[in-house]
Amino acid sequence: MHSGGPLDHLPIWGVFSATVAVVVLSIEGGFRLGRYRRRYSESEDRPPVGEMVAATLGLLAFFLAFTFGLASTRFDVRRDLVIDEANAIGTTYLRAALLPEPHRTEVRSLLREYADVRLAAVQPGKLNQSIGRSVELHARLWAHATAVGEKNPNSIVVGLFIGSLNEVIDLHTKRLSLGVRNRIPGAIWATLYLVTILGTSVLGYHTGLTGSGRSLAMLALVLAFSAVMTLVADLDRPQEGLLQVSHQVLIDLRDSFKATGR
């Protein structure tokens, strides 16, 4: 049920290492080709090559910024959905206090368990189990809503409770669709790395063509670019990595449930 990204089989440090290797090999390959052309061909016009290097690197910077924007937007969406879900669960819990017994006690107990299940969903390897349990709790909660609604069809309080419970269920679907499955497409990753290889190869080619030696400035470029690429990959991972959406609002909600004890 988890829609993984094309780089998910690598840990974050592996993404960084692989990107460094790709960029270094591309620059070195371009450098060797440029040095060969310099030795055996005098027909290469160097100034236009420099212009092409600038254009290619500009395109690479634009595409990298575009991809970073996609990952950052998805990260913000996941963060907002966590807050919205915590608010919806808390509102439903409060409104459940106005339901008649035994629905009041049972619904609140189910909501306390639901908060624990939603927190467990962010732990590696527990997503599918948490989704299955969430669906079961939805069915049980909705059964209570149906029962109390049939007995009190004109009750405003029951209507408010059913509305907030419906929002809880809807937000579960949104978090699953937008927060977990909405990843940067593999085609974008492939294009980004292709443009990276072409851009850095042209840079190395121009360096070899002009007769310049390998500069330590290239190392700074390699590390900086690889770090940004790794950051994009990290932002695109909803359940692992260094940058994770804070679930403190759900933790606080769960703790408040435990504090009330009912």
Side-chain angles (χ1 to χ4, degrees):
M1 299 183 71
H2 174 58
S3 179
L7 301 179
D8 282 2
H9 64 285
L10 292 175
I12 290 299
W13 64 266
V15 174
F16 179 79
S17 300
T19 304
V20 168
V22 168
V23 175
V24 168
L25 290 176
S26 298
I27 292 176
E28 182 65 19
F31 177 81
R32 290 176 180 270
L33 179 60
R35 189 169 58 178
Y36 173 83
R37 291 283 294 174
R38 180 172 179 270
R39 288 176 180 175
Y40 298 100
S41 175
E42 297 296 334
S43 60
E44 192 89 40
D45 195 357
R46 294 170 190 172
V49 174
E51 295 174 359
M52 286 186 288
V53 170
T56 305
L57 292 180
L59 176 62
L60 175 58
F62 169 79
F63 201 77
L64 183 59
F66 169 76
T67 310
F68 182 86
L70 287 179
S72 178
T73 299
R74 283 159 170 75
F75 184 86
D76 290 338
V77 168
R78 293 198 299 269
R79 181 182 57 194
D80 292 342
L81 286 175
V82 170
I83 297 174
D84 290 343
E85 185 174 44
N87 289 335
I89 296 173
T91 299
T92 307
Y93 188 84
L94 292 175
R95 291 177 178 177
L98 302 175
L99 298 178
E101 291 289 5
H103 301 290
R104 178 193 309 163
T105 301
E106 293 180 7
V107 165
R108 296 191 117 190
S109 176
L110 291 174
L111 287 172
R112 285 194 293 269
E113 181 182 355
Y114 187 69
D116 289 333
V117 170
R118 300 309 296 148
L119 282 171
V122 301
Q123 300 177 14
K126 293 188 177 181
L127 176 63
N128 292 337
Q129 179 183 355
S130 177
I131 291 174
R133 184 55 183 162
S134 295
V135 172
E136 294 176 4
L137 291 174
H138 290 164
R140 294 176 62 183
L141 286 166
W142 196 252
H144 283 283
T146 301
V148 75
E150 290 176 348
K151 293 180 181 179
N152 305 275
N154 299 319
S155 173
I156 296 178
V157 171
V158 172
L160 291 174
F161 167 76
I162 292 176
S164 60
L165 177 59
N166 187 70
E167 185 178 5
V168 169
I169 297 174
D170 288 346
L171 283 170
H172 169 266
T173 303
K174 286 183 179 180
R175 281 196 67 187
L176 183 60
S177 176
L178 301 179
V180 176
R181 295 174 177 167
N182 189 25
R183 308 288 300 281
I184 295 177
I188 292 182
W189 279 115
T191 304
L192 178 58
Y193 271 95
L194 175 62
V195 175
T196 298
I197 292 172
L198 293 176
T200 52
S201 295
V202 172
L203 177 61
Y205 179 77
H206 182 260
T207 303
L209 188 65
T210 58
S212 303
R214 299 175 180 84
S215 172
L216 287 178
M218 288 290 186
L219 178 60
L221 175 66
V222 169
L223 294 178
F225 183 80
S226 299
V228 175
M229 290 279 283
T230 304
L231 178 62
V232 173
D234 197 347
L235 285 171
D236 191 48
R237 299 189 179 195
Q239 290 188 286
E240 57 180 325
L242 303 177
L243 299 175
Q244 290 296 302
V245 171
S246 173
H247 286 73
Q248 187 60 45
V249 63
L250 270 175
I251 295 174
D252 293 341
L253 179 67
R254 181 193 60 187
D255 293 343
S256 68
F257 289 166
K258 292 180 178 180
T260 58
R262 55 188 178 82

